[in-house]
Amino acid sequence: LRLDRGLSERTIESYLGDLQLLEKGAQKNLSALEERDLELELSNWRAAGTSTRTIQRRLSALRAYVEFLRTTQPDHLDPTARFEIKSEKRRLPKTISPKSLQAILEAPKTDSPEGLRDRALLELLYACGLRASEAASLERAQLKLHEKLLRAFGKGGKERLIPIGESAAAWLSRYLAEAYPKMN
């Protein structure tokens, strides 16, 4: 999965957990899993209130496993073949009010190196729409402050070139000039 599909470690860990859960629930080896076993597990998951999104991920994990099995056993039957779980309607995320956003951005006390770091990070998250994992893995070489750009690596190792807003650029510059040297 890592090499063939470029999936992240987190996704691989989730898939592994899903497969272990399925094997435990079905009480048989996954390679011996049949359609009726999967049907029973789906029924159990629904009865337990498992979300459609989680069920879809579990089926996706099993499909990936079956696809792998078929590389060495081309005739292996796919117990997932007739199962298609309809997606739930995707809801738009709730927005934060400008007043609340301002309070969050201004929360760090910028009279300490850590406070400057936190303010710069919050500004960057907001201005660039970064995922927390993208921001946490940023390295200084990925910042092009003079061009107001940064390179981020997101899900699946996909690279994005992102413009940095004025306020975020100003806070980042201040952090790098005043606090970064003290913290490293």
Side-chain angles (χ1 to χ4, degrees), residues 7 42 44 52 61 64 67 70 73 77-78 80 83 97 105 116 141-142 144-146 149 165 168 174 178:
L7 296 183
L42 284 169
N44 291 339
T52 301
E67 187 179 311
R70 286 181 152 186
Q73 303 169 28
L77 294 176
D78 181 0
T80 68
F83 294 99
S97 73
L105 292 174
L116 272 176
Q142 293 171 251
K144 308 289 182 211
L145 279 176
H146 60 283
L149 291 172
R174 184 174 167 198
E178 297 175 28

Side-chain angles (χ1 to χ4, degrees), residues 83-166:
F83 294 99
E84 190 171 325
I85 307 297
K86 292 192 175 156
S87 298
E88 296 173 338
K89 267 191 169 179
R90 294 191 86 172
R91 289 174 268 149
L92 290 174
K94 293 181 181 175
T95 59
I96 188 169
S97 73
K99 186 177 177 180
S100 295
L101 175 62
Q102 196 62 35
I104 291 169
L105 292 174
E106 293 173 357
K109 305 222 180 305
T110 56
D111 56 352
S112 71
E114 292 80 7
L116 272 176
R117 177 203 58 208
D118 294 349
R119 176 67 187 255
L121 184 59
L122 288 170
E123 291 278 352
L124 196 62
L125 285 166
Y126 172 65
C128 299
L130 294 177
R131 294 177 178 90
S133 60
E134 291 172 326
S137 65
L138 272 178
E139 295 181 14
R140 192 169 180 174
Q142 293 171 251
L143 294 172
K144 308 289 182 211
L145 279 176
H146 60 283
E147 298 174 43
K148 292 195 175 92
L149 291 172
L150 71 83
R151 273 187 2 196
F153 295 92
K155 293 174 101 175
K158 292 184 181 137
E159 182 179 348
R160 298 187 296 152
L161 194 58
I162 305 168
I164 302 172
E166 292 289 331

Side-chain angles (χ1 to χ4, degrees), residues 17 22 28 40 55 90 131 140 157 164 171:
L22 181 56
K28 62 169 50 175
L40 181 60
I55 292 172
R90 294 191 86 172
R131 294 177 178 90
R140 192 169 180 174
I164 302 172
W171 281 104

Side-chain angles (χ1 to χ4, degrees), residues 3-4 11 29 51 59 69 76 107 111-112 117 120 143 176:
L3 298 174
D4 292 345
T11 302
N29 188 295
S51 74
L59 281 176
L69 276 180
H76 190 279
D111 56 352
S112 71
R117 177 203 58 208
L143 294 172
L176 291 171

